[in-house]
Amino acid sequence: MMTIDNYNFAGKKAIVRVDFNVPLNEEGKITDDTRIRGALPTLKKVLADGGALIIMSHMGKPKGKVNAKYSLSQIVEAVSEKLGVAVQFAPDCAKAAEAAAALKAGEVLLLENLRFYPEEEGKPVGIDKEDPAYNDAKKAMKESQKEFAKTLASYADCYINDAFGTAHRRHASTAVVADYFNEDSKMLGYLMEKEVQAVDNILKDIKRPFTAIMGGSKVSTKIGIIENLMDKVDNLILCGGMTYTFAKAQGGQIGKSIVEDDKLDLALNIIEQAKAKGVNLVLATDCVAADDFSNDANTQVVPVNAIPEAWEGLDAGPDAQKAFAAAIEGAKTILWNGPAGVFEFDNFTAGSRAIAEAIAKATSAGAFSLIGGGDSVACINKFGMADQVSYISTGGGALLEAIEGKVLPGVAAIKGE
Ligand code: AMP
C-alpha cells in the first residue's frame, strides 16, 4: 500500500478528501475548528513536498441541493490562515477542471460542498423507497455517481483520504473515486492512518488485559459492538442507561429509570455469553438515583435493583465506581465509548469521572487507551483530561462500525481489503 510518506508529491496535484464539516454560528463563523486542525498535517506535507492541493469535503446535510447555508466558501479564510496559503475556491465541485489544471506547486484549491450533488452520497432524490421505480432510480444514480467520482479524479495525479468521520460511507469522494487511481497513487492521510492504527490496537494487536467500557443510554445501539468485543476483551464494563435494562432483566426494581423492555432477554443473553466466554462482566451494583431528570433533583444512593418507585438512576454509585476502576487500572488496552451517567448534568458526572481517572492512571502506567464516540469524547473534554489518554478518535459512526468489526469502505478503497 502506498503511504503519504513514501509518495513523491513534487510537481504533482493531490486531491484530498478531508472532513471540514465544522460547526458554524448564525454569522457563518466557525465555532470549533478541531476538524480543520486535524487535517493540517496531511495538507502541509503535500505542500512542503512541492505538490499542489485540491481539497474536497462535505458540510452539513444539503441533501443533493445547492444551499448557501452549507457553502464551504464560508471557511476559505480560516483554511487559508491555518495553511498559511491563500486558498482558491471552486464554486462548483464538478466544474473545477480548469481551476485544477491551472494550479502550480504550493497552490491550494478548495472545492464547493460535495453534497450539493446527490451523486456524492449516491442516493436517488425525490423518490420514495416504496416506489416501484426506486430500484431503477438507484441503479441510474450509482452510474452517475461513478461519473461524478471520475470527474473528481480527473483533477489530480493522486488521491488521499483523510476523512475518517465519513470512512464508513461508500460515497463518491470517500471510496468510489479511489477506483480511478492505481495502487501507487492512492493513500490514507495521516489522520486516517492514526485512526486505523488505533482501531488495530484494540482489535488486532491487543495487549492484555483488555478492558472495554461501554456506556450511553441504550443497549440496542451498542449491541453489535458488545458482541464483537465479547470475543476479545478480558473485562467488559457495561454502564450508563443500559444498567437498568440489565437490572430489570434480573428481576430488579428500577423505578422510572431508562429501560428497554424489549431488550431484557438480550441482556440476559449477554450475561450468559460473558460467562461462557470467560469475560469478566462488570455491571453497576449501586446508583445515584434522582427524583427528577434534572441537575437539581434530590438524590440518594441505592442498589440498582431496589430503586424507589418515583426515582431514576442517573449515575453510577460509589461501589460501582470502585468496581469500574478496579477493572480498568490493571488493563494494558482500554476502549471507552459512552458515559456512565447523565454527564451533561454536573451533579451526575462522578461515574464517568471515576472511569476517566482510572483510564488516565492506567495510561500513565503504559496502557493504550482509545476514547471514541461523541459523548465519551465530550465527557473527557469536560473533565479537561484529553491529554491523559492515548488516543481520542475523531470518528463517531465510523469508529463504532470499525469496532463492530465492519470493513470501512473508505479504508478498503485504499488498502484493498
Ligand atoms: P449514547 O448516545 O447512546 O452513547 O448515549 C449517551 C447519552 O446517554 C448521554 O446523553 C447521557 O446523558 C445518557 N445517559 C447515560 N446514563 C444515563 C442514565 N442513567 N439515564 C438516562 N440517560 C443516560
Side-chain angles (χ1 to χ4, degrees):
M1 191 183 71
M2 179 50 74
T3 65
I4 187 165
D5 281 327
N6 289 335
Y7 190 86
N8 182 4
F9 291 101
K12 294 280 195 321
K13 294 187 178 94
I15 188 158
V16 190
R17 175 53 155 109
V18 295
D19 181 1
F20 280 177
N21 183 25
V22 289
L24 302 177
N25 65 14
E26 298 284 302
E27 287 94 50
K29 290 269 170 294
I30 300 170
T31 54
D32 180 353
D33 64 0
T34 311
R35 287 178 173 158
I36 298 180
R37 283 188 283 112
L40 289 180
T42 295
L43 301 177
K44 286 189 171 167
K45 160 78 178 160
V46 173
L47 295 178
D49 284 4
L53 280 173
I54 298 143
I55 306 175
M56 56 178 174
S57 177
H58 77 282
M59 179 185 272
K61 292 182 175 160
K63 303 208 166 122
K65 288 201 189 87
V66 176
N67 181 341
K69 194 175 144 198
Y70 300 118
S71 175
L72 286 171
S73 61
Q74 301 169 97
I75 68 165
V76 170
E77 225 181 279
V79 180
S80 301
E81 195 187 299
K82 290 194 169 54
L83 270 180
V85 177
V87 171
Q88 303 168 40
F89 186 67
D92 185 335
C93 65
K95 297 197 177 79
E98 252 177 61
L103 282 181
K104 295 191 205 61
E107 293 187 340
V108 184
L109 176 69
L110 173 66
L111 304 184
E112 179 57 289
N113 195 342
L114 296 159
R115 290 192 190 167
F116 284 0
Y117 281 87
E119 285 82 357
E120 165 61 359
E121 294 182 78
K123 276 189 270 173
V125 276
I127 178 162
D128 201 78
K129 272 196 177 141
E130 309 304 317
D131 194 312
Y134 182 81
N135 274 347
D136 284 344
K138 197 170 155 193
K139 256 190 223 152
M141 177 50 86
K142 288 285 162 207
E143 284 312 305
S144 36
Q145 186 184 47
K146 283 185 198 162
E147 284 307 310
F148 180 69
K150 200 170 160 185
T151 302
L152 297 173
S154 72
Y155 300 158
D157 304 295
C158 63
Y159 166 66
I160 304 173
N161 189 351
D162 210 18
F164 185 70
T166 47
H168 56 317
R169 305 278 181 236
R170 190 172 162 75
H171 290 172
S173 69
T174 62
V176 186
V177 66
D179 293 345
Y180 300 96
F181 291 92
N182 66 33
E183 261 175 50
D184 297 332
S185 52
K186 54 185 166 189
M187 58 219 103
L188 301 177
Y190 285 132
L191 182 64
M192 278 280 260
E193 275 183 358
K194 274 201 284 181
E195 295 275 1
V196 169
Q197 183 57 51
V199 171
D200 278 356
N201 284 349
I202 57 158
L203 292 186
K204 293 184 185 157
D205 316 317
I206 307 167
K207 307 226 169 10
R208 297 200 176 272
F210 176 11
T211 297
I213 307 120
M214 304 297 302
S217 53
K218 293 175 176 172
V219 192
S220 52
T221 54
K222 304 281 159 89
I223 186 63
I225 301 172
I226 293 172
E227 286 184 335
N228 192 38
L229 288 175
M230 198 65 95
D231 290 321
K232 299 188 162 62
V233 296
D234 302 290
N235 304 299
L236 179 61
I237 299 173
L238 296 180
C239 54
M242 341 186 198
T243 307
Y244 311 98
T245 298
F246 281 86
K248 184 164 180 182
Q250 295 175 94
Q253 301 296 318
I254 58 161
K256 61 179 178 81
S257 306
I258 188 170
V259 65
E260 287 177 283
D261 280 316
D262 59 337
K263 296 289 177 290
L264 301 181
D265 287 344
L266 181 67
L268 293 178
N269 183 268
I270 290 171
I271 295 173
E272 283 311 311
Q273 274 190 51
K275 265 191 210 138
K277 295 188 171 169
V279 171
N280 173 33
L281 179 64
V282 183
L283 290 163
T285 49
D286 62 349
C287 69
V288 180
D291 63 354
D292 186 24
F293 190 79
S294 90
N295 189 44
D296 307 320
N298 295 308
T299 62
Q300 58 176 318
V301 173
V302 288
V304 292
N305 57 7
I307 302 174
E309 235 356 66
W311 295 64
E312 60 186 309
L314 293 189
D315 198 7
D319 287 348
Q321 291 171 30
K322 273 186 216 125
F324 295 168
I328 294 168
E329 281 175 9
K332 284 279 165 276
T333 302
I334 301 165
L335 166 70
W336 182 21
N337 168 264
V342 184
F343 78 101
E344 295 93 336
F345 297 152
D346 289 347
N347 292 335
F348 299 95
T349 54
S352 303
R353 194 180 284 276
I355 289 172
E357 279 168 4
I359 294 177
K361 200 164 162 190
T363 308
S364 70
F368 174 80
S369 53
L370 168 59
I371 320 290
D375 275 327
S376 18
V377 176
C379 214
I380 203 95
N381 286 334
K382 178 167 180 154
F383 301 151
M385 293 174 70
D387 56 347
Q388 296 177 51
V389 300
S390 311
Y391 192 72
I392 296 186
S393 176
T394 58
L399 178 77
L400 300 188
E401 288 199 16
I403 301 169
E404 273 186 51
K406 291 186 186 158
V407 172
L408 301 181
V411 177
I414 286 171
K415 287 178 97 178
E417 277 172 3

